[in-house]
Amino acid sequence: MHRSAKRLASLLTCAAVPALLVAGCSGSDSDSSGSGSGDASASASAPGRTAAPSPTVAPAKFKQLPNPCEVFSKDTLKELVPKVKDAAGERGRSSDNASHGTCSWNSSDEQGVDGTQFRWLGVALQRYDSDPGIGAADKRAADYYAKQITAAKATQGAEKLKAATTSGTGDEATVITYDAKKEGNDYKNTTIIARLSNIVLTINYNGAGLAGADTPKGEDLLKAAQAAAKEAVATTAKTTTAKAKP
C-alpha cells in the first residue's frame, strides 16, 4: 500500500507539469538523458542542414618585412645623415620581426666656428595579416595609416604644421611638416606616412643648426625625405616579394 501511494503521488506531480516538461517525468533518468542526446544528434545530422560558412577575407599580399636598417641605400644615408655615427643604424627590438621593425640614424656634422649641423632619420615598418575575425590585411593597414597621420598632426609643440597627400609613394602617402623648438634650437621636421598594401611605413627626418649654425631649410629636408620614402617603399616591395617566393 505504501508503494502504491508513492506511485500515485508521482503521477499526480507529473500531471501538474507543463506539457514540454512531462517527458522528463516518465521512465528512468538514464532513459530520458539518452533520448535527449539522440534527438540532438539526429537534428544536427538531418539532411539539408549545414553549418553556417565561416567568413573569409582576402589574404595578405606581403608575408614578411625587410630588415628596417636596410631600406635605404648607402648613398641616401650619406646625403640625409652626413658623418653618421653608425651607418648600420640602430635597430629597435621587436618580438615579431615579420610584423614590426624600426631603425634610426643620427649625425653631427661639426663645422668649427660655424657650429654643427644635426640630422636624425628614423623608419618604422608595420605589417598586418588578414584575420576573419578582425578584417582584411589591407583594411587593417589603412586604419593604422589613418591613425599614424592623426598622431603626427597631434605632435606636441609643433608649429606651422602642414599636411598634404603625395603620389608615387606606395598605394597612398601623406607628408607632414612642422617646426619645433628644443633646448633653444630650431628644428625642421618632416614625417612621411606611406601604405604599401598591408604594410605601413613611417619615415621621420629632422634637422637643426646647433652651436650657432644656421637652421636648415625645411624645403631641403622635405625634398630629401620624399626621395628617401620612395626608396624605402620600393625596397620594401622588392624585398618582401623576393622573400615570399618558395
Side-chain angles (χ1 to χ4, degrees):
M1 292 295 292
H2 180 65
R3 295 180 59 184
S4 297
K6 291 181 63 178
R7 177 63 175 169
L8 178 60
S10 177
L11 291 174
L12 291 174
T13 301
C14 286
V17 178
L20 290 176
L21 302 179
V22 170
C25 292
S26 63
S28 66
D29 291 341
S30 60
D31 289 342
S32 64
S33 63
S35 176
S37 298
D39 292 343
S41 299
S43 177
S45 59
R49 294 189 179 184
T50 58
S54 300
T56 59
V57 293
K61 181 177 181 179
F62 298 111
K63 304 297 184 181
Q64 299 186 51
L65 286 179
N67 181 335
C69 294
E70 296 177 355
V71 296
F72 302 118
S73 67
K74 292 181 179 179
D75 288 341
T76 295
L77 292 174
K78 185 177 180 180
E79 179 181 352
L80 270 67
V81 281
K83 295 187 178 180
V84 61
K85 292 183 178 180
D86 184 359
E90 183 177 348
R91 186 170 183 175
R93 294 183 179 181
S94 175
S95 59
D96 184 1
N97 289 325
S99 298
H100 181 71
T102 63
C103 193
S104 63
W105 300 260
N106 68 83
S107 69
S108 295
D109 187 3
E110 298 180 1
Q111 301 175 350
V113 296
D114 292 327
T116 300
Q117 285 294 331
F118 172 81
R119 297 290 185 275
W120 187 90
L121 172 66
V123 60
L125 307 175
Q126 182 68 44
R127 187 188 67 84
Y128 287 92
D129 284 316
S130 290
D131 187 320
I134 302 177
D138 280 23
K139 175 60 168 59
R140 296 179 67 195
D143 290 343
Y144 180 72
Y145 167 80
K147 289 180 180 179
Q148 286 291 86
I149 294 173
T150 300
K153 290 181 178 179
T155 299
Q156 188 173 5
E159 299 177 354
K160 299 179 181 179
L161 189 147
K162 296 179 181 179
T165 58
T166 183
S167 61
T169 309
D171 295 311
E172 55 183 338
T174 296
V175 176
I176 299 168
T177 59
Y178 60 90
D179 296 346
K181 276 188 175 294
K182 182 178 180 181
E183 298 178 354
N185 297 300
D186 295 322
Y187 283 76
K188 296 292 184 178
N189 299 266
T190 297
T191 297
I192 299 178
I193 303 161
R195 182 179 68 84
L196 176 67
S197 187
N198 58 309
I199 297 176
V200 176
L201 300 88
T202 303
I203 294 93
N204 287 295
Y205 183 49
N206 63 66
L210 309 180
D214 294 335
T215 300
K217 293 181 178 180
E219 296 82 358
D220 294 339
L221 297 187
L222 172 60
K223 184 178 180 180
Q226 287 179 312
K230 289 182 179 181
E231 180 181 65
V233 167
T235 301
T236 298
K238 180 179 179 180
T239 304
T240 52
T241 301
K243 286 184 177 181
K245 293 181 179 180

